[in-house]
Amino acid sequence: MEIDPVIREWLHLAGQAPSSHNTQPWRFRVDRAGVEVWTDPARSLPVNDPTGRERIISCGCAVLNLRVAAATDGHGLNVRPEQAGDGPFVRLLTGHHGGAGRRDLAPLRDWIGERRSWRGRFLADEGSPDIVEKLVQAAHHEGAWLRPVTDAEIRREIADLIRAATTAQWKNPAWRRELAHWMRPPSRGDGLPVGRVTGGLTRWSVRHLVSARAMARGEAHMARAAPLLLALGTGIEGPMQWLTAGQALQRVLLEATRHGLCARYLNQPIQQAEWRPMLAEVLGGGQPQLLFALGRPDGTPRPTPRRPLDELLKH
Ligand SMILES: Cc1cc2nc3c(=O)[nH]c(=O)nc-3n(C[C@H](O)[C@H](O)[C@H](O)COP(=O)(O)O)c2cc1C
């Protein structure tokens, strides 16, 4: 079936979503009724994400982009998450008005192409409290919670968890191998970009050289010093909640981008089962799905590559 150029543009925008290790684990199926978003198990990260939780969250981010793109073209998509053999998928049916929700989403379209993750330092500028309130509301609209960590003692406790969890991750050779595997030249269209000439050395250094303790110290410092530290989560746990978390994350990120803020992820205590309950307790309950710092980057974040649309289509 020939895909309508308007829908092609929606799919292009959906593919700009963030994803763990930039795996872009989504596939799109288009028919007369609308668009389906499927997760791609071939793009899983068995060590970093053994349950596929982050893979489904990443697909949730793509779903939110689709909803935003459709909203600006006057469509409110009817979103229907469904369960299939190889995980959940989302059916987005066109031809719905969408009401007030559509009007709230449409202004976010301009920020889809501007959003970037950031792994450097932030400027020491906390931004105004009403930005934080807007972000909390953005997550709430999607059925998730967003908790800014403002208490210094709680920040310290979270930083300690991040240090322990980061050390464990970097002490795991399989985790290092998996990360190195996804570091590749931008021309490949996915993964974490490294130079074509220097990439081999960077990957070798990730596998064998980088000090677990130094990484852990850096990540813990970021958790203590970042302008904003936030946790995003759901009430209960499961694949449908992961889709919700992804849509909430992307809505928060687009709202943050609109205010000049970039995210730096500190997910290590969530990615490993040992630390997740401890983090949940420190945060006061619920199921934490993402932990990240937000701030104005001290530098210019570079765009990461994306695969061509035709590779993303499921027939
Ligand atoms: C569910 C999820 C988990 C992520 N976890 C991490 C992480 O632990 N560390 C990190 O540096 N980036 C993390 N990222 C960011 C991705 O690496 C990033 O989205 C990807 O490389 C594409 O780059 P971009 O966000 O600048 O478009 C995560 C993104 C998502 C959606």
Side-chain angles (χ1 to χ4, degrees), residues 66-308:
L66 264 175
R67 290 170 48 209
V68 168
T72 40
D73 290 331
H75 293 269
L77 295 178
N78 182 345
V79 183
R80 289 209 204 145
E82 297 190 24
Q83 190 63 45
D86 57 355
F89 73 99
V90 182
R91 220 187 278 280
L92 296 131
L93 304 171
T94 48
H96 291 262
H97 179 254
R102 177 166 64 76
R103 280 196 299 277
D104 290 343
L105 288 177
L108 297 177
R109 183 172 182 150
D110 290 347
W111 306 105
I112 291 178
E114 303 294 318
R115 184 210 53 79
R116 310 257 184 278
S117 302
W118 174 246
R119 294 191 178 83
R121 290 195 320 204
F122 290 115
L123 300 172
D125 168 7
E126 286 186 17
S128 69
D130 58 304
I131 297 179
V132 178
E133 187 45 37
K134 278 190 183 132
L135 302 179
V136 169
Q137 284 308 318
H140 183 71
H141 277 306
E142 295 298 325
W145 51 259
L146 183 72
R147 291 190 197 138
V149 182
T150 47
D151 181 275
E153 181 52 34
I154 295 182
R155 257 208 198 215
R156 262 195 299 277
E157 285 180 41
I158 294 177
D160 287 346
L161 289 176
I162 290 173
R163 186 170 39 232
T166 307
T167 307
Q169 232 167 26
W170 281 90
K171 283 198 165 172
N172 179 353
W175 185 85
R176 283 181 180 243
R177 265 198 308 277
E178 187 177 77
L179 174 62
H181 172 76
W182 283 95
M183 300 178 93
R184 40 189 77 171
S187 57
R188 290 279 296 273
D190 59 6
L192 305 165
V194 288
R196 229 160 54 88
V197 178
T198 53
L201 187 59
T202 311
R203 278 192 296 273
W204 182 85
S205 146
V206 162
R207 279 199 305 271
H208 304 292
L209 198 65
V210 171
S211 147
R213 270 185 48 190
M215 284 307 290
R217 213 180 308 124
E219 298 290 275
H221 174 74
M222 176 53 65
R224 283 192 305 269
L228 294 168
L229 178 67
L230 301 128
L232 187 149
T234 50
I236 56 171
E237 183 68 347
M240 294 301 166
Q241 285 71 34
W242 302 338
L243 278 173
T244 298
Q247 290 174 79
L249 170 66
Q250 183 65 356
R251 190 156 174 169
V252 167
L253 294 176
L254 293 180
E255 195 63 58
T257 307
R258 192 186 199 174
H259 291 94
L261 304 176
C262 269
R264 178 169 161 168
Y265 297 82
L266 297 160
N267 289 321
Q268 297 89 333
I270 304 177
Q271 287 162 339
Q272 297 166 88
E274 194 179 340
W275 282 278
R276 199 167 169 205
M278 293 184 227
L279 179 67
E281 196 181 320
V282 173
L283 287 169
Q287 296 290 335
Q289 305 288 355
L290 295 134
L291 183 60
F292 52 96
L294 279 181
R296 289 177 209 288
D298 186 8
T300 309
R302 295 227 212 107
T304 48
R306 289 296 184 277
R307 290 186 296 155

